[in-house]
Amino acid sequence: MKRSPVRLALPLLSGALLLTACPGVRPIPIDVPSNPAVLNGTWKGTLQSSIDVRDAAWGEGRVYLLQQELASPAGLPMAYFPFTNPKVRPALVVLDAASGVELRRLDLAGSELHALRFRAAEPGQPARLVLLRSAVLVTGAPASTVLSELDPVTLEETKQTTLPGSLWNYRLNTDGRWLISGSLTVQETRTLQPATLPQTIQDELAKPQEYATRNTSWDYGEQFLRVATRTAGAQHTPWTTRLYSVTTGQAFGGAAQHPLACTKFASDVLTEPTGMVNLPDGGAALAYRDGTVELRGPDDRLRRTIDLGDCLGHTLRVDGDVLTFAVVEENELQLGTLRMTDGQVLSRRRAATTYPIQYPPLEAEGTALMARPRWRVGIPLVELQRTSGAGWLLEKETHTLHLDTRATWTSKAEYSSVGEAWLDGERLNFAATVRSGTMEFRPQATAPVPPSWQGTLSRLDGTVVARVQGTHWNMEAQQAVMLELQGSERDFAFNGLLRP
């Protein structure tokens, strides 16, 4: 006998949703089981690890990753299911820079991760990892903002300092020597004393900051103080930029000193560099969007221009006489090195990449380390590229999930879905409850809240293999799914989409 569909008149039925918070709007009905969005029939997909990298550092042949694995699907409204808080596992992971092989791991349970830097050794001071996080130091007390120093080999904590205020009020500069609070205040991470700054920079910081006429910020890896100024009342007047080296205090003009080398741009692309580094002799290298690199002396005079010939701005790194340059454009990484004494390009490589940021971090000569700061489907967790081609990818673990299930209407606010599942080919039982969405009444709140479901995958003896939860919309044949493997302390959380 053919079953006729039951029509849910929801406030987001079938796990349904209200399309608006405005009073008087009729709920959208979802037919169970005939609506193509309902969790009914066959669904298949690949789920990818939910691990993401909050920050990455490089030092002494090792790559350090601040990782976090979270068993909660981003954007899925699960709050109205009476389950425990999602499982979270933050960790500090050490990889061999040559191969990408994991060397060591430190569990940071109970921490909210923020920033990680490798601070190189100085006379009388060993190298240290500098870690900025929040953590509960006393049971029952609120989380504190913590600055820690760790041995880069053993990961043993050698020093811990509690900082006042919110974690998000702080950041670390690229080489880990500075703790920056607010927008401009800097302290030495080793002593937490005010950083020693050249007099020219102290003078600039002492001047009043006027939003309309004067903007000051740390830039280019916090190796330069950027000061942009313009005349009061001249709102359409271009800004004039000066860049002060934190090493020497020398000021460099932001505007290029060479004529435009790329005809597809107007000359206004030469007002500020895309990348900038200090040079060993006190000068600076500046890259511009027309594909030109300027080498200037300590007096800010132009000594040499190098046309890279690609009409692209680059980020820069200096190692002795070698300058590394890189940019990501249209899913392609361009990475190269040049010799500054004669402008000769030493190596150059183009490689396909899924890295979403235009200027990738350059952690060593001819080397770009690209770690994904957010969870995204279909891209590796970490990508290391070298001009030599000897790079590696740290891929995310995946699982295949196949559901064959039948939906049954329960009420205007709920339906059940029961059937079979195959997780990486293992046959399991599947059972889930789908509930209607809810809407919080707020001014101009119009975004719908979709039906949401939670269920289990279990063996015939009743052993739960995994918890699953997901959401679907109206008439859209896909399920956004999160899977949490039971009994695993690592590699337990996976996200993805299922489709018929």
Side-chain angles (χ1 to χ4, degrees):
M1 184 176 77
K2 185 177 179 181
R3 297 175 59 192
S4 29
V6 177
R7 190 174 181 82
L8 294 184
L10 9 211
L12 246 120
L13 293 185
S14 100
L17 61 164
L18 294 175
L19 290 183
T20 173
C22 300
V25 175
R26 298 182 63 183
I28 292 179
I30 293 180
D31 293 331
V32 175
S34 62
N35 189 296
V38 168
L39 188 59
N40 183 70
T42 300
W43 299 85
K44 299 178 181 179
T46 298
L47 308 182
Q48 182 173 256
S49 170
S50 71
I51 292 174
D52 76 284
V53 177
R54 297 301 178 90
D55 208 353
W58 172 295
E60 297 180 348
R62 292 178 289 271
V63 172
Y64 301 89
L65 306 177
L66 278 187
Q67 286 187 4
Q68 179 163 290
E69 186 172 11
L70 175 63
S72 177
L76 301 192
M78 310 306 299
Y80 43 87
F81 278 96
F83 287 92
T84 57
N85 291 331
K87 183 177 179 180
V88 182
R89 182 65 66 183
L92 171 57
V93 180
V94 187
L95 308 178
D96 174 49
S99 63
V101 172
E102 184 173 324
L103 302 175
R104 192 177 293 271
R105 176 181 292 255
L106 176 66
D107 187 1
L108 294 172
S111 297
E112 181 178 3
L113 308 178
H114 188 47
L116 178 72
R117 298 290 185 271
F118 181 88
R119 192 180 68 208
E122 301 175 67
Q125 299 293 333
R128 286 290 181 257
L129 288 176
V130 182
L131 172 63
L132 186 58
R133 62 191 171 112
S134 69
V136 176
L137 303 179
V138 179
T139 304
S144 301
T145 301
V146 178
L147 183 70
S148 296
E149 294 188 7
L150 291 79
D151 184 291
V153 178
T154 66
L155 302 187
E156 177 184 357
E157 188 175 53
T158 59
K159 185 179 179 181
Q160 182 185 98
T161 305
T162 302
L163 302 174
S166 167
L167 173 67
W168 304 101
N169 189 48
Y170 297 95
R171 70 183 193 273
L172 299 170
N173 77 328
T174 0
D175 61 16
R177 294 190 304 112
W178 282 6
L179 174 70
I180 304 173
S181 57
S183 58
L184 296 172
T185 305
V186 291
Q187 298 168 274
E188 297 282 353
T189 53
R190 187 172 59 82
T191 63
L192 290 184
Q193 296 300 309
T196 302
L197 299 171
Q199 188 60 49
T200 52
I201 291 183
Q202 294 182 45
D203 294 342
E204 291 298 323
L205 292 175
K207 295 177 182 178
Q209 306 302 311
E210 299 291 341
Y211 176 77
T213 59
R214 181 181 176 84
N215 289 330
T216 305
S217 61
W218 301 110
D219 213 337
Y220 306 106
E222 294 78 32
Q223 297 304 303
F224 293 86
L225 180 71
R226 177 184 177 274
V227 180
T229 58
R230 66 181 176 186
T231 306
Q235 295 185 2
H236 301 290
T237 301
W239 293 88
T240 298
T241 303
R242 300 285 286 170
L243 302 156
Y244 294 82
S245 167
V246 301
T247 304
T248 65
Q250 172 62 43
F252 298 90
Q257 298 182 18
H258 67 276
L260 185 68
C262 181
T263 56
K264 75 176 185 178
F265 293 126
S267 59
D268 60 2
V269 302
L270 301 182
T271 56
E272 286 194 49
T274 61
M276 185 173 182
V277 289
N278 287 298
L279 298 181
D281 65 357
L286 301 88
Y288 289 89
R289 283 190 63 200
D290 64 346
T292 301
V293 176
E294 291 188 356
L295 303 181
R296 300 187 196 173
D299 57 1
D300 196 29
R301 291 186 179 181
L302 182 64
R303 295 189 302 198
R304 180 187 299 275
T305 59
I306 303 167
D307 185 1
L308 297 176
D310 54 13
C311 288
L312 294 172
H314 298 78
T315 186
L316 302 174
R317 174 189 171 88
V318 64
D319 294 275
D321 189 38
V322 176
L323 192 70
T324 300
F325 55 92
V327 65
V328 172
E329 184 78 10
E330 296 181 348
N331 296 321
E332 182 181 69
L333 169 70
Q334 300 194 34
L335 178 66
T337 58
L338 61 86
R339 188 169 50 229
M340 289 184 289
T341 49
D342 58 8
Q344 178 69 39
V345 174
L346 303 175
S347 63
R348 197 160 193 170
R349 182 167 181 262
R350 297 173 185 260
T353 182
T354 53
Y355 189 63
I357 300 174
Q358 188 174 19
Y359 301 118
L362 300 175
E363 301 291 355
E365 181 181 320
T367 304
L369 176 68
M370 297 170 283
R372 272 58 181 185
R374 295 179 181 87
W375 177 82
R376 291 182 63 191
V377 174
I379 63 174
L381 193 65
V382 180
E383 178 181 357
L384 187 138
Q385 295 278 3
R386 293 187 174 94
T387 53
S388 65
W392 46 263
L393 300 177
L394 183 60
E395 301 281 4
K396 292 186 176 182
E397 184 178 333
T398 60
H399 291 284
T400 58
L401 181 61
H402 175 184
L403 301 179
D404 190 358
T405 185
R406 295 294 174 265
T408 303
W409 181 84
T410 305
S411 71
K412 290 184 177 181
E414 183 177 298
Y415 73 88
S416 63
S417 187
V418 178
E420 295 178 318
W422 287 263
L423 181 62
D424 296 330
E426 181 184 2
R427 185 175 177 177
L428 301 165
N429 293 326
F430 171 74
T433 299
V434 187
R435 295 181 180 175
S436 60
T438 58
M439 175 61 69
E440 178 183 356
F441 293 96
R442 291 177 293 183
Q444 302 179 11
T446 58
V449 177
S452 186
W453 53 269
Q454 280 200 336
T456 57
L457 304 180
S458 58
R459 297 191 175 98
L460 292 178
D461 63 3
T463 303
V464 175
V465 175
R467 287 177 55 202
V468 284
Q469 56 186 14
T471 190
H472 68 71
W473 297 85
N474 180 39
M475 301 302 294
E476 186 176 7
Q478 71 177 26
Q479 306 282 335
V481 175
M482 191 284 297
L483 178 144
E484 179 186 345
L485 295 176
Q486 302 299 286
S488 299
E489 291 306 310
R490 288 174 52 184
D491 301 320
F492 56 81
F494 298 84
N495 290 281
L497 295 175
L498 301 183
R499 295 185 174 91

